[in-house]
Amino acid sequence: MMIKVSITDEMLLKAKKEANRRMAFGFRTEYPVSDSYKFDMIYISCVGELVVQEYLNNKKASYSFADPSFPGKELSIKGRLVEITTSGYGDDFSKLNLLYNDRQYAESISKGISYVVQVFINGYQYKKQTFCENKCNTGYIVGYIEFNEIGKYPIVQNVNRPNYKVALSNLKSFDSII
């Protein structure tokens, strides 16, 4: 079920450029955050999006960007809208969950998203809340959940915002949608 993808320096460079561009856009949080934290979270997301694209390219799977202004956040695969969500981890992600912002869920219901894919990348230092790119070399596509199923899970408050919390054991194999 879990798919391992090597993260290259080229992917990190491309993700960093995209994260710098996206800094001009909003960031979902209940509380103010530093620009460095915001950048790290956007950077992590961009790396995860490239992990999925790398895997799809290697499988020769057909996909397109749903929104060219945010290339990779949402993909169209076989006519279905697929959203990529990425989390960073330090040593182990097996006890982590797919977290999906409750306000984002409400805002996204009308977008027609079919699936949400969870990606984990290494290099995140939880206690410091920073991303260390020189420790980032591996991404895992853990699986997906149907978008409309997310709302059935409990909402929990994490450091910066309330999120639906989905156990990784409830995700399905990403290969089944490509």
Side-chain angles (χ1 to χ4, degrees):
M1 177 173 157
M2 200 172 354
I3 300 162
K4 182 178 178 180
V5 176
S6 294
I7 296 171
T8 65
D9 290 341
E10 292 79 18
M11 291 167 72
L12 290 172
L13 181 61
K14 186 175 181 180
K16 184 180 261 185
K17 283 182 180 177
E18 179 62 13
N20 276 313
R21 188 186 74 80
R22 290 185 191 180
M23 282 294 287
F25 300 98
F27 186 71
R28 289 184 181 90
T29 183
E30 298 291 309
Y31 312 103
V33 296
S34 69
D35 281 348
S36 62
Y37 178 82
K38 177 182 173 182
F39 178 80
D40 284 351
M41 296 302 104
I42 294 169
Y43 189 11
I44 287 169
S45 293
C46 293
V47 173
E49 294 162 13
L50 292 174
V51 163
V52 172
Q53 291 171 46
E54 177 76 6
Y55 182 72
L56 291 170
N57 290 338
N58 288 339
K59 294 289 257 183
K60 298 188 180 0
S62 179
Y63 68 93
S64 61
F65 298 130
D67 181 353
S69 65
F70 285 98
K73 178 69 179 156
E74 296 169 352
L75 303 174
S76 178
I77 301 173
K78 293 185 176 179
R80 300 290 189 110
L81 192 57
V82 178
E83 181 178 1
I84 312 301
T85 183
T86 306
S87 301
Y89 72 95
D91 298 320
D92 179 30
F93 61 84
S94 63
K95 292 182 172 65
L96 298 179
N97 301 282
L98 182 151
L99 298 177
Y100 199 95
N101 180 267
D102 65 336
R103 282 191 300 184
Q104 180 181 353
Y105 185 78
E107 293 167 6
S108 295
I109 287 175
S110 63
K111 290 174 74 174
I113 297 169
S114 297
Y115 309 115
V116 175
V117 175
Q118 177 64 56
V119 177
F120 286 102
I121 64 168
N122 63 350
Y124 185 69
Q125 298 175 323
Y126 178 75
K127 289 185 181 182
K128 294 180 181 180
Q129 290 190 330
T130 58
F131 178 58
C132 194
E133 68 186 11
N134 65 346
K135 294 184 178 185
C136 180
N137 59 12
T138 307
Y140 291 92
I141 304 170
V142 180
Y144 78 91
I145 185 168
E146 292 182 27
F147 178 82
N148 61 3
E149 294 291 313
I150 293 172
K152 298 176 182 177
Y153 287 87
I155 296 175
V156 297
Q157 179 69 40
N158 77 350
V159 176
N160 291 307
R161 59 190 182 211
N163 296 286
Y164 289 98
K165 179 180 173 182
V166 181
L168 300 182
S169 60
N170 291 321
L171 302 182
K172 300 172 188 166
S173 174
F174 179 62
D175 279 337
S176 67
I177 62 175
I178 62 171

